[in-house]
């Protein structure tokens, strides 16, 4: 059902773009949003359909990720302007709440694309992730931040 609604949403957005005659990304996104609302209105049993909860969560996650990347870039730039004596790199042992290989991979990639963090390894029992951090003053607070900011979002999307 989700694939069918997604396909219908994309097709309606394409129809919107062709009907307006303006072939731009912004117009497609606007058409996608309009068709999402139309599909939400005409779909029976929308409470039982995950499509109408996944798309808003995914949109929110993408905006959150862009914000985190920009914020991390600025923090890393500021930290790199300091002398080496002021930086405090660390390797953190982050206990995992995510369980499946897909969730662990997704979480690891999120940390890798965020500047200032790099996943080094996953433990053999898949319970711990080893992360290198460029600037870490308080290890426990940083681990808590990683779990509450990133791992929580991964769990919201995947479960």
């Amino acid at each position: 059902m989700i694939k069918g609604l997604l396909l219908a949403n994309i097709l309606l957005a394409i129809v919107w773009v062709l009907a307006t005659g303006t072939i731009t990304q912004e117009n497609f996104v606007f058409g996608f949003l309009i068709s999402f609302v139309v599909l939400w209105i005409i779909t029976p049993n929308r409470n039982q359909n995950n499509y109408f909860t996944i798309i808003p969560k995914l949109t929110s996650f993408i905006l959150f990720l862009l914000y985190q990347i920009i914020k991390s870039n600025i923090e890393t730039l500021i930290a790199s302007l300091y002398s080496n004596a002021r930086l405090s790199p660390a390797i953190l042992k982050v206990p995992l709440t995510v369980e499946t290989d897909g969730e662990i991979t997704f979480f690891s990639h999120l940390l890798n694309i965020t500047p200032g963090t790099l996943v080094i390894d996953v433990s053999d029992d898949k319970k711990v992730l080893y992360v290198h951090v460029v600037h870490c003053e308080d290890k426990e607070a940083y681990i808590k931040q990683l779990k509450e900011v990133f791992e929580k979002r991964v769990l919201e999307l995947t479960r």
Side-chain angles (χ1 to χ4, degrees):
M1 186 73 170
I2 291 175
K3 292 178 184 176
L5 285 172
L6 178 62
L7 181 62
N9 203 347
I10 291 171
L11 290 175
L12 285 172
I14 291 171
V15 168
W16 171 265
V17 168
L18 295 175
T20 59
T22 308
I23 304 174
T24 62
Q25 294 171 353
E26 294 85 9
N27 197 25
F28 178 80
V29 170
F30 185 70
F32 189 86
L33 293 174
I34 289 175
S35 60
F36 180 82
V37 171
V38 168
L39 287 172
W40 182 78
I41 291 170
I42 66 171
T43 301
N45 299 327
R46 57 184 162 260
N47 293 337
Q48 298 173 354
N49 196 330
N50 289 338
Y51 180 73
F52 297 107
T53 57
I54 288 174
I55 295 296
K57 283 183 182 178
L58 189 59
T59 304
S60 170
F61 179 76
I62 290 170
L63 293 174
F64 158 78
L65 184 61
L66 289 173
Y67 168 75
Q68 287 296 326
I69 289 173
I70 291 169
K71 181 179 130 191
S72 295
N73 271 315
I74 292 170
E75 289 173 356
T76 304
L77 175 68
I78 291 170
S80 67
L81 293 176
Y82 294 141
S83 67
N84 288 340
R86 289 184 140 187
L87 290 179
S88 53
I91 294 179
L92 306 177
K93 185 177 179 180
V94 180
L96 293 175
T97 307
V98 292
E99 296 171 350
T100 66
D101 289 342
E103 291 172 342
I104 293 170
T105 303
F106 189 33
F107 181 50
S108 299
H109 285 302
L110 285 178
L111 295 180
N112 281 337
I113 64 172
T114 306
T117 57
L118 178 67
V119 175
I120 298 171
D121 196 13
V122 180
S123 66
D124 292 335
D125 61 355
K126 299 179 184 176
K127 301 281 185 196
V128 175
L129 197 67
Y130 296 98
V131 181
H132 178 269
V133 182
V134 173
H135 185 66
C136 177
E137 294 174 1
D138 183 8
K139 290 183 179 184
E140 293 302 319
Y142 205 95
I143 290 171
K144 184 177 179 184
Q145 178 189 3
L146 290 178
K147 292 187 71 60
E148 289 178 359
V149 173
F150 290 103
E151 191 174 35
K152 178 182 166 189
R153 297 280 180 144
V154 169
L155 291 172
E156 287 175 2
L157 275 179
T158 58
R159 294 185 181 170

